């Protein structure tokens, strides 16, 4: 009785994504699946869920073979999965989403709406979202969506649950809800396969760990027996130790480059007044969806503000709500949401040249493109290859390399390291610092408070469209704890 | 707290409201301009001329909700029409012709479904190619308008019972049929599939089977439409259904069916096609030369489409804002 | 290989990629199908490959290519882009040229100018509906075509249709050193559009918008202008096609352009344009038009009745779609 992956391999064209990977999840066990970008973690999760067919090997669930790749069959055999990119259907209500795998019915033919909502309500109560039953799924906030995804995976009472990068997007209090559900699932004799980049979470939830590197299993250990350094080493990444930032000059020495005045976010009456120095890396922290992203998007010209704020960047005043004009004013936008930044079918070269083509500016030659890419240790087969041939982390590196070439006055980065591994993250951070050293102002959001504390000169903690704390590294007031306590205080006050 | 759940009710119930308003307005205006329209004879004439479209728009709606599209609707209706007339010509009795006609529609739907759901050809192009095949078949069976349906059945279809035109009785039956359909598990799976096929597949929805069923069901509705057309005009015409393809898409969209799939109601779609049907009556009613009719109908149709889409967007926005507010109230309530 | 530590291009794969590109002749599939169709025709009736028949096939294909030029741009612009008003614009342009220009070449310039302006206006309307009202292209262009067709009806009832003037007739059916002018026009258009799509700033932005409109916006591409531009270009090119069609058909009637709406979609798609946008080229569309025309011609050679021809072209379209346009999910 266990979930067994036996000698699984998966070949995509010339790429061997998984090579002879075996692992076992016993009832009551939570096994971590750890590795860098493109190591095959997500592919493994998809194979277990039946969404992808393996090229070789077998998945055995409590003695039964999964056979054909069909999510429905995997579910029937007792597998529940949360998808990294979610599986919620935006046109259906939250309740319908939770039960869609096996909705209650009359005579086998008709949906039993009463029972459907009652069942869903019971399940949603466990994640504290029982009042959201009748709401369309896309009305939820990101964290809530991931919790509903979890409730949906648990609805059919699976024997084994696969959790693919779920907690990355959750806020601390939501992670606690997740922990409760996971503990109950394990206590009831269920097993779990937990896919994550975050070592502290792996240690919190898991007892055993399988490490993948380049599609091969490189370690299979009890988690308490290994150190973080071992794990990072196995995953093939470099040390994640933060680069010293002490010897950088304080922001106050530098001229102001970005000025924002009279900006109102959300339903706030009071307006924001912010200024950022040239070469400053400023983070926007706080609970998710408190106006950080809207602020970034207004600066990038992707969202039109409700009122007319005064914004100037390096002396220029871009027309608000016009991304073309923002680009002309030297503002560059980069996002961890690759659906919003990547031309998947176009070549790497074209992806890098897009902003130059759009502005009608001189285009950098191939040599400078390659130089920018090598700064980030990007792995690619050639500039002519389509962007879709790269792993997510490498696509992200291409986009960041594009920012270097543009030499922007203001870089607006929305969760830029979302879903990329420790080594790549360190590369991105180093690059941001280099850019800042050349005078670029960088505004960045992250779902990871540690990252903000690590990367930024200054972090503004936001709550409901207002800045509630301004933590400066120069005065020694910047740390992950300071960020957390700033927004937790707001939480209690609300 | 107990009041909160009802504050976040099921959504999209409003999607047919603009079509209801437009259809009532159009009908009202038409009745004022041309009082003959609401006379018993006028009602019979109008409803029989529209019944085929009302059945066909349900076919289009089922397909659209599943994020498909059917450009062969019109050709399918024509084929069912000429098949039925040909069988009547061979001396088949009514009770045998009607099921065969329905079967014809269903087989067409099955063919579309196989091409789109199983062979994974783009729906727009597959049904476009299908419309060629069906048109050819219709022309092969009956190259020019003609033939005759049994006079008794035709008289009944064009008659009325207890003062209500039988075509309107058939409309009520269509509405009831849709209501039953809307409550099936299939419809839930279809909305899921239409919302996002990949995610629905990952959620355990049998996407292939659901899409296949949607096209088969659409074929069934085309069969019904073909039967209605046959019995209301009493003859066969290989081109009779041609305008239906475009009119059903426009009618469904005005009726609040999302072209991107996931939501929509057959009732709304019927109201939407009623609005389109009444526009023609209006143009004739104010005494315009028939030459101007299509231009007027086209312009009104375009304004109607634009209006409905814009209206729906603003309704959705207010609704979304209201829901966001309700949700944040709930969230705050929980945090306390 | 160690992913995190290996940087830069991977030489072996890079070379393999170049090699593969060299081997894979562009549009190899289309050329194979064309050769196959031509060979089949030749086996059935050797006259299929006679100069007369070949020039006739090429002329018809040239007409379809010109009519599909606008459609290709709109499909490239992505986001379900499709222009169902192509045929109607062609008809109206022909009506207008016939109405203003008559049979003489005297009023040719104002007549053609009026037709192009009409095309531009209808295209602008389409573009505004799609981009500003955010109506689905299918619906917007369908509604516009319905209304414009009515407009054509109103315009046509006022005057008797005329024959085309000498210039337009020459354009449609004349020859230059034995080569039909219509083929020369199509070839010129193909060269111009290929240069535009490959090398101009607009062409490259069109591919970006079609590939991922959100990413294009984030990269600073003026997406609204690019999309509206595609629809306007489609309107103008369709009007131009209507003028050529007037000469090609030798007369004008209310359903003159109608078949070209869907044939243009078919030509573009057979030629490899993806309806999800950002993929395809005008060279591909021209090959698609040749395939479509060869096919119809072959069926006529086989002595199919019009009804059977419809069925057969539908079935073959299925085959082409199966080979080229399967959706991977």
């Amino acid at each position: 009785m266990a979930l067994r992956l036996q000698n699984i391999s998966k070949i995509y064209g010339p790429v061997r994504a998984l090579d002879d990977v075996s692992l076992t999840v016993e009832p009551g066990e939570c096994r971590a699946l750890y590795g860098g970008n493109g190591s095959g973690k997500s592919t493994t999760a998809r194979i277990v869920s039946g969404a992808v067919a393996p090229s070789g090997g077998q998945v055995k669930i409590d003695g039964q073979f999964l056979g054909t790749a069909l999510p429905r069959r995997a579910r029937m055999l007792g597998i529940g999965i949360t998808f990294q990119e979610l599986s919620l259907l935006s046109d259906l209500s939250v309740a319908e989403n939770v039960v869609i795998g096996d909705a209650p019915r009359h005579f086998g033919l008709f949906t039993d709406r009463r029972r459907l909502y009652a069942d869903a309500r019971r399940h949603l109560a466990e994640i504290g979202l029982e009042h959201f039953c009748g709401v369309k799924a896309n009305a939820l906030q990101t964290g809530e969506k991931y919790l509903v995804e979890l409730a949906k995976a648990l609805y059919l009472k699976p024997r084994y649950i696969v959790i693919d990068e779920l907690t990355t997007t959750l806020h601390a209090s939501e992670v606690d809800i997740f922990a409760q559900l996971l503990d109950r699932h394990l206590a009831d004799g269920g097993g779990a396969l937990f896919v994550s980049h975050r070592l502290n979470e792996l240690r919190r939830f898991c007892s055993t760990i399988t490490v993948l590197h380049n599609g091969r299993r490189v370690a299979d250990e009890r988690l308490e027996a290994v150190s973080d350094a071992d794990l990072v080493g196995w995953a093939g990444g470099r040390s994640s130790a933060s680069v010293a930032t002490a010897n950088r000059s304080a922001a106050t020495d530098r001229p102001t480059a970005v000025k924002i005045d009279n900006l109102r976010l959300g339903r706030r009456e009071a307006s924001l007044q912010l200024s950022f120095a040239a070469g400053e890396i400023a983070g926007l922290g706080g609970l998710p969806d408190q106006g950080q992203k809207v602020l970034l998007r207004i600066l990038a010209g992707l969202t039109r503000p409700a009122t007319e704020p005064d914004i100037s960047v390096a002396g220029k005043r871009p027309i608000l709500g016009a991304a073309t004009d923002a680009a002309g004013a030297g503002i560059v936008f980069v996002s961890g949401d690759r659906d919003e930044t990547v031309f998947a079918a176009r070549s790497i070269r074209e992806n890098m040249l897009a902003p130059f083509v759009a502005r009608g500016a001189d285009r950098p030659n191939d040599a400078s493109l390659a130089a920018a890419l090598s700064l980030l240790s990007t792995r690619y087969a050639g500039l002519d290859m389509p962007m879709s041939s790269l792993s997510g982390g490498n696509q992200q590196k291409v986009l960041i390399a594009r920012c270097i070439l543009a030499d922007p006055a203001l870089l607006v980065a929305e969760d830029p390291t979302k879903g990329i591994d420790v080594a790549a993250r360190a590369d991105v951070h180093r690059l941001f610092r280099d850019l800042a050293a050349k005078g670029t102002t960088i505004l960045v959001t992250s779902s990871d408070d540690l990252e903000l504390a690590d990367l930024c000169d200054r972090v503004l903690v936001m709550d409901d469209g207002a800045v509630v704390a301004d933590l400066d590294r120069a005065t020694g007031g910047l740390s992950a704890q300071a960020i957390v306590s700033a927004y937790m205080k707001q939480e209690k006050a609300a | 707290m107990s009041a909160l759940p009802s504050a976040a009710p099921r959504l999209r119930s409003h999607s047919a409201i603009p079509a209801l308003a437009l259809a009532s307005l159009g009908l009202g205006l038409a009745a004022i301009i041309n009082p003959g329209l609401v006379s018993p004879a006028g009602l019979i004439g109008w409803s029989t001329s529209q019944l085929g479209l009302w059945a066909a728009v349900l076919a289009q709606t089922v397909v659209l909700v599943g994020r498909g599209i059917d450009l062969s609707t019109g050709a399918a209706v024509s084929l069912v029409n000429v098949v039925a007339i040909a069988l009547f010509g061979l001396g088949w009795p009514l009770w045998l012709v009607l099921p065969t006609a329905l079967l014809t529609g269903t087989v067409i739907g099955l063919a579309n479904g196989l091409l789109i759901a199983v062979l994974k050809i783009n729906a727009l192009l597959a049904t476009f190619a299908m419309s060629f095949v069906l048109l050819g078949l219709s022309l092969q069976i009956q190259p020019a308008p003609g033939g005759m349906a049994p006079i008794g059945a035709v008289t009944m279809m064009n008659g009325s019972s207890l003062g209500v035109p039988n075509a309107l009785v058939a409309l009520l039956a269509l509405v009831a049929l849709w209501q039953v359909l809307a409550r099936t598990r299939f419809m839930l799976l279809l909305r899921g599939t239409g919302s996002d096929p990949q995610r629905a597949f990952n959620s355990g929805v049998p996407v292939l089977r659901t899409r296949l069923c949607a096209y088969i069901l659409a074929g069934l509705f085309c069969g019904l439409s073909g039967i209605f057309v046959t019995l209301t005009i009493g003859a066969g015409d290989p081109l009779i259904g041609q305008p239906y393809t475009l009119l059903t898409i426009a009618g469904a969209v005005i009726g609040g069916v999302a072209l991107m799939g996931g939501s929509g109601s057959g009732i709304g779609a019927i109201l939407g096609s009623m609005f389109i049907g009444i526009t023609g009556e209006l143009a004739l009613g104010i005494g315009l030369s028939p030459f101007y009719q299509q231009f007027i109908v086209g312009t009104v149709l375009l304004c109607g489409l634009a209006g409905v889409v814009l209206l729906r967007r603003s309704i959705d926005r207010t609704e979304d804002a209201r829901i966001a507010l309700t949700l944040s109230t709930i969230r705050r309530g929980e945090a306390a | 290989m160690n992913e995190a530590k290996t940087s830069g291009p991977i030489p072996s794969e890079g070379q393999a990629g170049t090699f593969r590109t060299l081997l894979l002749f562009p549009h190899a599939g289309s050329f194979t199908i064309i050769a196959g169709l031509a060979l089949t025709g030749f086996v059935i009736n050797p006259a299929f490959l006679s100069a007369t028949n070949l020039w006739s096939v090429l002329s018809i294909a040239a007409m379809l290519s010109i009519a599909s030029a606008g459609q290709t741009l709109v499909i490239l612009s992505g986001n379900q882009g499709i222009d169902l008003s192509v045929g109607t614009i062609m008809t109206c342009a022909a009506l207008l040229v016939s109405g203003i220009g008559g049979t003489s070449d005297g009023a040719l310039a104002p007549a053609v100018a009026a037709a192009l302006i009409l095309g531009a206006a209808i295209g602008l309307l389409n573009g505004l509906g799609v981009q500003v009202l955010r109506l689905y292209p299918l619906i917007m262009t369908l509604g516009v075509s319905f209304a414009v067709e009515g407009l054509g009806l109103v315009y046509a009832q006022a005057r008797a249709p005329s024959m085309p003037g000498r210039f337009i007739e020459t354009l449609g059916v004349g020859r230059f050193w034995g080569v039909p002018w219509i083929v020369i026009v199509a070839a010129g258009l193909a060269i111009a559009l290929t240069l535009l799509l490959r090398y101009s700033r607009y062409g490259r932005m069109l591919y970006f918008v079609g590939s991922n409109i959100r990413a294009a916006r984030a990269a600073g591409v003026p997406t609204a202008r690019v999309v509206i531009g595609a629809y306007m270009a489609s309107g103008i090119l369709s009007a131009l096609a209507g003028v050529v069609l007037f000469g090609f058909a030798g007369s004008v009637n209310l359903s003159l352009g109608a078949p070209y709406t869907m044939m243009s979609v078919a030509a573009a798609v057979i030629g490899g344009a993806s309806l999800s946008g950002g993929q395809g080229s005008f060279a591909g569309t021209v090959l698609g038009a040749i395939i479509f025309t060869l096919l119809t011609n072959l069926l006529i050679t086989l002595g199919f009745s019009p009804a059977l021809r419809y069925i057969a072209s539908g079935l073959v379209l299925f085959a082409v779609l199966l080979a080229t346009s399967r959706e991977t999910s």
Side-chain angles (χ1 to χ4, degrees):
Chain A
M1 295 290 277
L3 166 65
R4 286 180 210 284
L5 275 68
Q6 300 171 334
N7 312 100
I8 297 285
S9 56
K10 177 68 190 173
I11 297 163
Y12 288 111
V15 181
R16 191 171 270 271
L18 283 179
D19 189 2
D20 199 26
V21 170
S22 298
L23 63 83
T24 304
V25 180
E26 304 281 350
E29 173 186 7
C30 179
R31 174 173 288 275
L33 189 58
Y34 179 72
N37 291 317
S39 62
K41 303 185 303 287
S42 280
T43 309
T44 309
R46 283 161 178 283
I47 286 175
V48 176
S49 75
V52 166
S55 311
Q58 282 286 3
V59 178
K60 219 170 161 185
I61 301 152
D62 287 344
Q64 284 186 284
F65 287 110
L66 178 56
T68 46
L70 208 58
R72 235 148 42 85
R73 175 160 168 80
R75 264 160 214 267
M76 267 160 23
L77 292 179
I79 297 290
I81 181 163
T82 69
F83 286 87
Q84 194 181 344
E85 72 282 4
L86 291 171
S87 67
L88 299 186
L89 299 158
S90 56
D91 289 305
L92 268 51
S93 70
V94 172
E96 287 172 332
N97 263 294
V98 170
V99 305
I100 189 148
D102 187 21
R105 51 199 126 137
H106 289 305
F107 317 117
L109 201 60
F110 297 97
T111 310
D112 183 346
R113 300 206 72 86
R114 278 244 309 270
R115 211 145 57 85
L116 186 158
Y117 276 88
D119 280 10
R121 177 175 296 270
R122 204 161 351 101
H123 268 80
L124 288 166
E126 295 181 351
I127 53 172
L129 294 178
E130 69 273 25
H131 300 306
F132 294 14
C133 271
V135 177
K136 254 189 308 178
N138 63 351
L140 298 177
Q141 290 177 349
T142 314
E144 292 167 347
K145 282 183 185 167
Y146 277 91
L147 284 180
V148 172
E149 179 83 8
L150 181 68
K152 182 176 175 178
L154 290 171
Y155 174 70
L156 290 178
K157 306 227 177 312
R159 298 270 300 134
Y160 302 96
I161 178 159
V162 181
I163 301 150
D164 191 2
E165 303 277 8
L166 180 78
T167 46
T168 340
T169 39
L170 294 185
H171 170 249
S173 63
E174 292 166 337
V175 173
D176 289 340
I177 295 176
F178 164 77
Q180 276 173 24
L181 287 180
L182 181 62
D183 284 346
R184 173 133 35 95
H185 173 72
L186 296 175
D188 290 347
L193 189 61
F194 185 85
V195 182
S196 178
H197 279 121
R198 295 187 171 174
L199 288 172
N200 57 346
E201 283 174 356
L202 299 184
R203 292 210 178 268
R204 177 171 171 193
F205 298 123
C206 305
S207 51
T208 51
I209 186 164
T210 298
V211 184
L212 296 181
H213 176 64
N214 267 1
R216 289 208 189 83
R217 191 181 75 177
V218 291
D220 197 344
E221 301 283 342
R222 292 204 57 77
L223 201 47
E224 61 207 23
V226 290
S227 71
D228 283 3
D230 287 341
L231 291 175
V232 174
W234 285 330
R238 278 164 246 160
S239 161
S240 62
S242 61
V243 179
T245 46
N247 57 356
R248 284 193 295 154
S249 61
T252 42
D253 304 352
R254 289 169 287 188
T256 301
V258 179
K259 271 172 110 163
I260 302 166
D261 206 352
N262 218 2
L263 174 65
R264 277 165 53 185
L265 297 172
R267 299 186 309 280
R268 283 271 165 157
E269 283 302 312
S271 62
L272 277 180
Q273 196 176 359
L274 302 167
S275 64
F276 302 98
E280 182 174 29
I281 303 180
L284 302 175
L287 292 170
D289 295 332
Q290 299 300 315
Q292 301 98 327
K293 290 192 174 181
V294 180
L295 173 55
L296 292 193
R297 273 155 193 278
I298 288 173
L299 286 171
L302 297 169
T303 297
R304 202 180 291 276
T307 54
E308 282 297 310
D310 304 319
I311 293 176
S312 80
V313 175
K316 289 184 193 158
R317 293 178 174 276
I319 299 168
L320 298 167
T324 321
D325 209 63
I331 303 171
V332 167
F333 173 77
V334 63
S335 164
D337 178 4
R338 285 177 285 277
D339 279 348
E340 197 177 349
T341 41
V342 168
F343 303 105
R346 313 305 302 171
S347 67
I348 296 173
R349 181 188 294 108
E350 275 184 277
N351 268 277
M352 294 186 77
L353 293 180
F356 300 93
V357 172
R359 276 212 310 272
D362 286 342
R363 295 193 276 269
N365 59 18
D366 283 2
S368 42
L369 296 187
L373 287 173
S374 68
L375 277 180
L376 277 162
S377 325
T378 316
R379 212 172 104 99
Y380 63 104
L383 288 171
D384 287 321
M385 296 299 281
M387 199 66 165
S388 54
S389 66
L390 303 182
S391 70
N394 278 317
Q395 290 184 4
Q396 191 64 6
K397 287 180 175 181
V398 170
L399 293 172
I400 306 240
R402 183 168 98 177
C403 299
I404 311 174
L405 293 168
D407 197 16
L410 171 63
L411 174 62
V412 174
E414 187 181 287
D415 220 345
T417 58
K418 180 178 164 190
I420 68 177
D421 66 29
V422 178
R425 180 182 279 213
D427 283 333
V428 170
H429 286 188
R430 185 165 44 74
L431 226 98
F432 277 15
R433 292 202 181 91
D434 289 350
L435 267 176
K438 281 193 267 172
T440 301
T441 306
I442 298 176
L443 274 179
V444 57
T445 61
S446 171
S447 55
D448 183 356
D449 298 327
L450 264 170
E451 177 177 29
L452 287 179
D454 205 33
L455 172 69
C456 301
D457 300 320
R458 184 180 155 206
V459 171
L460 305 175
V461 179
M462 296 186 67
D463 182 74
D464 198 16
V467 173
V468 293
D470 188 342
L471 309 167
D472 203 325
R473 185 182 302 282
T475 58
L478 177 56
S479 67
Q481 287 82 359
I483 297 172
V484 174
S485 62
Y487 63 71
M488 289 311 284
K489 236 183 286 170
Q490 285 302 315
E491 175 90 315
K492 283 185 196 105
Chain B
M1 263 328 217
S2 61
L4 283 172
S6 61
R10 292 209 308 118
L11 299 173
R12 299 275 170 179
S13 49
H14 58 262
S15 67
I17 289 174
L20 179 63
L22 282 174
S24 336
L25 186 74
L27 273 168
L29 276 178
I32 292 166
I33 292 167
N34 178 11
L37 185 73
V38 287
S39 70
L43 264 184
I44 290 178
W46 184 68
S47 56
T48 48
S49 73
Q50 300 292 309
L51 185 58
L53 180 62
W54 294 335
V57 81
L58 293 185
Q60 195 67 262
T61 304
V62 172
V63 171
L64 285 175
V65 168
R67 197 184 269 196
I69 193 159
D70 189 354
L71 294 184
S72 69
T73 305
V77 172
S78 305
L79 182 61
V80 173
N81 171 237
V82 297
V83 165
I85 290 297
L87 294 179
F88 283 132
L90 292 174
W92 286 34
L94 190 68
W95 62 266
L96 209 55
V97 170
L98 296 190
T100 314
L102 274 185
L103 187 68
T104 308
T106 314
V107 169
I108 298 169
L110 176 67
N112 274 331
L114 288 174
L115 289 164
I116 295 159
V118 181
L119 295 176
K120 306 241 185 314
I121 303 182
N122 176 292
L124 193 78
L125 298 167
T127 53
F128 166 57
M130 180 59 80
S131 72
F132 273 91
V133 176
L134 299 181
L135 176 63
L137 288 172
S138 303
L139 286 170
Q140 188 69 23
I141 293 171
Q142 188 183 333
M148 240 173 76
I151 196 76
V154 175
T155 315
M156 201 199 79
M157 201 71 234
N158 288 290
S160 59
S161 14
L162 302 172
V164 182
N166 285 337
L168 287 184
V169 175
L171 171 66
L172 285 182
L174 280 177
V175 169
L177 186 60
W178 180 269
Q179 288 300 358
V180 171
L181 186 64
R183 280 165 176 68
T184 56
R185 184 175 110 96
F186 161 77
M187 212 54 200
L188 174 66
L189 298 181
L190 186 67
R191 285 195 296 129
T193 304
S195 189
D196 187 328
Q198 184 61 51
R199 286 181 168 196
F201 178 73
N202 286 344
S203 306
V205 173
V207 171
L208 191 151
R209 202 195 307 160
T210 306
R211 295 177 80 188
L212 189 62
C213 285
Y215 280 97
I216 293 175
L217 207 57
L220 197 69
F221 278 120
C222 284
L224 265 181
S225 171
I227 289 174
F228 287 150
V229 167
T230 309
L231 295 185
T232 48
I233 62 170
D237 178 349
L239 302 176
I240 185 84
Q242 221 152 35
Y244 282 14
T245 302
L246 308 185
L247 290 181
T248 50
I249 297 174
V253 171
I254 291 183
V257 179
L259 262 183
M260 283 305 289
S263 72
S265 104
I267 317 294
I270 289 178
L271 287 169
S273 48
M274 276 187 180
F275 167 67
I276 295 174
I278 209 68
T279 313
E281 299 288 328
L282 273 175
L284 284 182
I286 53 175
L288 271 178
S289 131
F291 283 114
Y292 283 90
Q293 197 185 354
Q294 188 178 350
F295 177 59
I296 303 286
V297 173
T299 311
V300 170
L301 194 77
L302 205 57
C303 297
L305 273 175
V308 165
V309 170
L310 289 179
L311 189 66
R312 254 195 84 187
R313 199 175 297 154
S314 87
I315 291 177
D316 280 355
R317 207 175 296 139
T318 7
E319 192 83 336
D320 284 353
R322 193 179 64 77
I323 289 165
L325 200 68
T326 315
L327 294 193
S328 69
T329 318
I330 296 173
R331 286 183 192 116
R332 270 167 211 285
E334 277 167 1
Chain C
M1 272 189 289
N2 183 325
E3 179 186 14
K5 284 175 186 162
T6 311
S7 76
I10 307 155
S12 60
E13 280 181 38
Q15 277 165 6
T18 326
F19 189 56
R20 216 179 302 128
T21 326
L22 278 177
L23 269 184
L24 259 179
F25 193 60
H27 306 297
S30 293
F31 280 115
T32 315
I33 294 172
I34 289 174
L37 285 172
L39 207 66
T40 316
F42 180 70
V43 170
I44 293 162
N45 179 0
F48 193 80
L49 290 187
S50 69
T52 327
N53 194 47
L54 280 185
W55 280 129
S56 143
V57 165
L58 270 183
S59 301
I60 298 170
M63 185 60 244
L64 180 53
S65 303
I66 298 169
S68 311
Q71 189 72 267
T72 307
L73 296 184
V74 168
I75 289 179
L76 277 178
S77 80
N79 308 299
Q80 317 272 318
I82 194 165
D83 188 349
L84 295 186
S85 64
V86 165
T88 316
I89 295 176
M90 286 171 73
T91 305
C92 284
L95 280 172
L96 209 55
V97 169
S98 158
I100 298 177
T103 48
S104 77
D105 280 350
L108 185 71
V112 171
L116 296 185
I117 289 169
L118 177 79
I122 298 170
L124 179 64
L125 190 63
N126 280 331
L128 289 176
V130 168
Q131 193 58 39
V132 180
L133 293 181
R134 302 201 180 280
L135 283 165
Y136 294 104
L138 188 98
I139 293 303
M140 183 63 197
T141 57
L142 184 66
V144 165
S145 97
F146 195 70
V148 170
E149 198 179 303
L151 201 63
L153 201 64
V154 173
Y155 183 78
Q157 62 151 327
R159 61 214 83 219
S162 72
M163 305 278 283
R166 270 198 75 85
F167 181 85
I168 291 180
E169 193 186 357
T170 311
L171 201 63
V173 293
R175 284 173 182 242
F176 177 72
W177 283 12
V179 182
W181 270 110
I182 196 168
V183 174
I184 298 172
V185 170
L189 190 65
I191 292 168
L193 273 186
T194 303
L195 290 178
L196 173 93
L197 286 175
R198 278 224 186 145
Y199 301 107
S200 77
R201 186 171 154 231
Y202 178 79
R204 301 177 71 143
M205 291 198 297
L206 185 64
Y207 278 104
F208 287 136
V209 169
S211 177
N212 183 347
I213 193 164
R214 291 170 73 204
R217 195 174 299 129
V221 173
T223 52
R225 264 180 279 161
V226 171
V227 171
I228 294 174
Y231 282 90
M232 269 186 85
S234 176
I236 295 170
L237 287 167
S238 301
L240 183 75
V243 174
V244 178
L245 181 62
F246 182 32
F248 188 62
S251 66
V252 58
N253 64 63
L254 278 168
S255 56
L256 182 67
Y260 284 93
T261 301
M262 276 320 207
M263 285 201 303
S264 64
V265 178
V269 169
I270 292 172
S274 157
L275 278 184
S276 52
Q279 265 173 313
S281 65
F282 187 58
T285 301
V286 171
L287 292 175
I290 294 176
I291 291 176
F292 198 89
T293 311
L294 266 179
L295 187 68
T296 315
N297 195 264
L298 186 63
L299 296 177
I300 294 171
T301 309
L302 285 168
F304 276 36
S305 73
L308 289 175
R309 224 148 63 210
Y310 275 125
I311 300 174
S313 57
L315 292 178
V316 174
L317 203 54
F318 282 141
V320 174
L321 291 175
L322 264 180
T324 59
S325 304
R326 302 229 1 218
E327 287 168 347
T328 49
S329 67

